[in-house]
Amino acid sequence: MVPQTAVRMDEPELIRAAQQGDQRAFEQLVRLYDQSVLRLATNLLRSPEDANDIYQEAFLRVYKNLHTFRFDCSFHTWLYRIVSNLCLDALRKRKVRREESSLVETNEGYLNRMDTVEEPRADSDPERSLESKQVREKIQEVLGGLTPRERAVFEMRHYQGMRLRTIGEVMGTSEEAAKNCLFRATQKMRAALGDFV
Amino acid sequence: MTCEEARRNLPLFVYGELSFDEEELVEVHIDECAACRRELAREKAMFAALDAVELVPRPEALAQSRAELRRRLALSGGKSGAKSGAKLEVSGARGSGFWEKIREGFTIHFHFAPGIAQVAGAALMLALGFLTARFAPHPLGGYFSSAGVMAEPATSRVRYVEPVSPGRVQIVLDETRQRVLSGSVDDEAIQRLLLTAAKDPSDAGLRVESVDLLKNNSQSAEIRQALVYALEHDPNAGVRLKALEGLKQFGADPDTRQALTQVLLKDENPGIRTQVIDVLVQQRHSDAVVGVLQELMEKEDNSGIRLRCEKILQGMNASAEMY
């Protein structure tokens, strides 16, 4: 029988234990990263169901292929490579824009940062509230118009706070290429939001 | 550096992705060029607007995804790539899933000869019968009902094994049983359970729901203490937000204010920091608020929150910097 880990291990120990079939170590490994994985997929796909599909597929693949992980890169990079490939495939397969417009109407299942960061008095100021809503819709529209790669790089840099070098590793490209993607994404944002900011 | 070059570099400048030399050149240019300073301010305003559309999955969604993953891993039949080939089998009438297999190390495996197995099985049944007979009514008082007590343990763990005679063994089991309790959220016993659940490290969804129920009784010092603890220490932002909701009405309480101040300076979630600012500002302790907002401005990197602090400090005729 494979011994089940009972004590807190650091990440390399967890990975090695999970590679040896320690289920509890695998669970701990999942829990180290699954919140940020779901968050990335949610923001990239803007659909609760699709984000959950990515979550499931990503961790099932990790489970099946963990034995091939050789510590050549960080586990985070390896996992995000799987997640970003799945997200890119999903983005390429569907028309993002149409699905996003429906999500803007019903944010069910999610905390929208707008709800917590927005000026609380905005509601009492109809003009300001309308402006915020317009900005939000405009941003959704621009995000929908980005190419899948631009979108992924932007999400990982802006919302996940990942460095461009890491994003390059995750996306299987150079830091310079990731930088160019980010630059194009922000240019498109600026062009579209010029009247609002 | 020309204005065109500087503006081209502004997004990467704000992201901190320029090289040291490039950053230096942009900073020098911005110091000297009012038009590019305005462009930088617009760039930061755009970043703040982008921050505001981030979607954060609710803890319930995460809990559902985790539960589904358990089911799917169980259905996959444990075809992991583990080197040892440790296989996840479907076993038992209940809890045949992957997660249940985590406790595989704690369950009993008999590999005795058939005759011995019968004897050992009988001894085990006796032990189980003994434990079931000893299964006392729950020690919790209060006015709530208990239903659905499961006849079989939800989990069991072998605590102690001892051969008692040739072919016989004595086994002591620790068992966990599930039961359904219902009652008023004002009931002390129910509240004790909720307080425990609010600290369950393994389930953020459970903590959110528990804190959500507790926050309506924050007049109780014990519950308020638990809310403060959750706000300061819970790793999940959803749980911290719920705790904060319960503490809003206690902005005037010195201990709560002290905790809120710490959270404002330490919490990584901008939504929570923003709400804490609102709670602190509502109270008439302007000197203390000015001090903490100035301290926040020294390290805050969220442009939306910085703007908000500046506005509040302006309204209080205070400088945005500490001297």
Side-chain angles (χ1 to χ4, degrees), chain A residues 19-20 23-24 27 31 34 39 43 52 56 63 67 111 114 120 157-159 163-164 190 194, chain B residues 15-17 39 42-43 50 52 54-56 58 65-66 68 81 83-84 88 99 106 202 308:
Chain A
Q19 285 178 327
Q20 296 297 327
Q23 311 301 348
R24 189 176 293 188
E27 180 197 14
R31 287 186 179 229
D34 68 344
R39 195 164 174 155
N43 279 284
N52 178 50
Q56 302 302 329
Y63 187 67
H67 66 291
L111 295 172
M114 201 66 163
R157 182 63 193 91
H158 194 90
Y159 295 124
R163 307 297 299 181
L164 282 171
R190 275 302 296 272
Chain B
Y15 279 123
E17 290 283 2
E39 280 305 302
R42 289 185 69 192
E43 197 72 34
L50 289 168
E54 183 182 10
L55 295 174
V56 182
R58 290 188 184 282
S65 291
R66 284 176 176 169
E68 187 180 337
K83 285 178 196 166
S84 66
L88 303 179
W99 244 239
F106 301 134
S202 65
R308 192 175 189 79

Side-chain angles (χ1 to χ4, degrees), chain A residues 106-147:
Chain A
T106 63
N107 261 331
E108 198 174 343
Y110 293 89
L111 295 172
N112 193 316
R113 230 182 221 193
M114 201 66 163
D115 297 334
T116 53
V117 178
E118 199 179 21
E119 295 262 350
R121 277 179 290 181
D123 288 343
S124 59
D125 180 349
E127 199 176 323
R128 188 181 173 81
S129 181
L130 179 66
E131 193 183 308
S132 299
K133 188 168 181 286
Q134 285 174 337
V135 172
R136 211 179 334 187
E137 286 173 357
K138 195 74 191 170
I139 292 172
Q140 303 284 7
E141 188 186 317
V142 185
L143 284 173
L146 298 179
T147 67

Side-chain angles (χ1 to χ4, degrees), chain B residues 217-272:
Chain B
N217 286 294
S218 48
Q219 297 294 342
S220 147
E222 192 183 359
I223 291 177
R224 205 183 315 159
Q225 225 169 14
L227 295 179
V228 167
Y229 182 86
L231 178 61
E232 286 184 319
H233 300 290
D234 200 289
N236 185 287
V239 178
R240 300 202 299 277
L241 271 174
K242 291 284 181 197
L244 180 57
E245 281 173 30
L247 291 170
K248 275 182 181 171
Q249 55 181 310
F250 297 102
D253 170 59
D255 289 344
T256 308
R257 280 187 78 75
Q258 177 66 27
L260 289 172
T261 303
Q262 290 303 312
V263 169
L264 178 59
L265 296 174
K266 286 181 183 165
D267 199 294
E268 62 183 20
N269 184 296
I272 289 175

